[in-house]
Amino acid sequence: MLYGLNKDGLMIYANLCGIMLILMINFAFPIWLVRNRNRRHRGKVYATNLSSPQTVKSGRLLAIIKDEEFGKKLEDFCRENYCLDSLYFIYFVLEFLKDVETKETDDISQSFQRGLNQFILPFSRLEVNISSKCRQRIVASQSSQQGSQEVPSDIFNEAFEEVAGMLYENLYTSFMRRLKPLEKAMISG
C-alpha cells in the first residue's frame, strides 16, 4: 500500500494523472503558444479569442510552420495536396500581425488590402475556403474602413482559425504519418 491506496486505487490514480497530462498537452500548451491574450495597437486593445476550439489545432500547425525544416516539409506536402493557398494565407496572417505591431497605419492598410485582394475576395488569385459569413464580415470591414485608415489587428483572426482548422482536419494526420518516428517526437515534444 502506497499513500493509503491499494493496487486498484493506484491504477485509478495513475490513469487520472495520464489523462490530466494528455489534457494539458492538447489544450494548455497550444493556448500558451498563442499567449498574447491582449494586443496593444495605437492605444487600443484588441482581445485575441482563446476560447475557440480551433486554437488547439492552429497551435499545433504553428509549431510545425515556425520550425524551418518541418515548415518546408509541410509546404511540400500542401503543394502535393493542392492546398498551398491555405498555407500561404496562414503565412500572410502571421506577417500581417507582425506588421500591426511594427508598421505605420498606412502600411497596415496596404497590407490589409493586399490580403483582401489576394485571399478573401471571390475569384481572387489564391482565394481561401472560408465561410461566407466570415468573408462578408471582412469585406464589410473593408467598406467601413474607407473613411479611416485604422484596421483592427484581429480582422483576419476568424478566417485564420477556419483555414488552420481545415488544414489540420484534412492534412495533419496524413502529414504526421509521413514523418519518421524521430521527427514526430521532435514535433510533439
Side-chain angles (χ1 to χ4, degrees):
M1 288 191 46
L2 181 66
Y3 299 114
L5 296 174
N6 61 14
K7 185 178 177 183
D8 293 333
L10 283 174
M11 291 300 294
I12 292 171
Y13 178 75
N15 286 335
L16 287 175
C17 288
I19 291 170
M20 291 302 294
L21 181 63
I22 289 169
L23 288 175
M24 284 178 47
I25 289 170
N26 285 327
F27 296 105
F29 183 70
I31 290 173
W32 177 78
L33 288 175
V34 191
R35 67 183 175 274
N36 295 333
R37 291 183 183 218
N38 293 316
R39 232 178 246 294
R40 287 202 172 270
H41 177 63
R42 312 244 193 291
K44 295 183 179 180
V45 177
Y46 297 96
T48 304
N49 181 9
L50 292 178
S51 61
S52 169
Q54 299 293 338
T55 305
V56 173
K57 297 172 183 177
S58 61
R60 288 181 181 167
L61 276 177
L62 287 176
I64 293 172
I65 289 170
K66 289 182 178 183
D67 184 276
E68 189 174 322
E69 178 186 347
F70 294 118
K72 178 69 177 137
K73 288 182 180 190
L74 180 65
E75 189 171 331
D76 292 341
F77 191 75
C78 286
R79 183 175 292 111
E80 291 171 15
N81 288 282
Y82 304 104
C83 58
L84 206 50
D85 54 342
S86 298
L87 187 63
Y88 286 162
F89 176 71
I90 288 176
Y91 289 153
F92 165 77
V93 172
L94 294 175
E95 281 299 313
F96 178 78
L97 291 174
K98 284 181 189 174
D99 291 351
V100 165
E101 293 177 358
T102 60
K103 292 190 176 177
E104 295 297 317
T105 306
D106 293 338
D107 295 336
I108 296 167
S109 296
Q110 290 174 356
S111 182
F112 167 74
Q113 196 63 42
R114 185 172 45 91
L116 188 71
N117 293 334
Q118 198 168 18
F119 298 104
I120 303 299
L121 291 176
F123 307 110
S124 57
R125 192 170 68 92
L126 296 171
E127 182 181 359
V128 291
N129 186 11
I130 56 175
S131 67
S132 61
K133 182 191 261 185
C134 179
R135 188 179 314 280
Q136 288 170 354
R137 206 172 288 130
I138 294 171
V139 171
S141 173
Q142 183 250 357
S143 300
S144 67
Q145 297 299 325
Q146 296 295 342
S148 83
Q149 293 292 321
E150 192 71 26
V151 176
S153 63
D154 61 351
I155 189 72
F156 292 114
N157 283 7
E158 185 181 356
F160 176 85
E161 292 297 334
E162 284 186 24
V163 171
M166 182 181 57
L167 273 178
Y168 181 86
E169 293 293 328
N170 295 335
L171 295 180
Y172 184 79
T173 306
S174 304
F175 176 70
M176 292 300 285
R177 241 185 268 136
R178 176 183 273 193
L179 295 177
K180 297 173 184 148
L182 183 59
E183 293 173 326
K184 289 180 193 177
M186 290 173 65
I187 289 174
S188 300

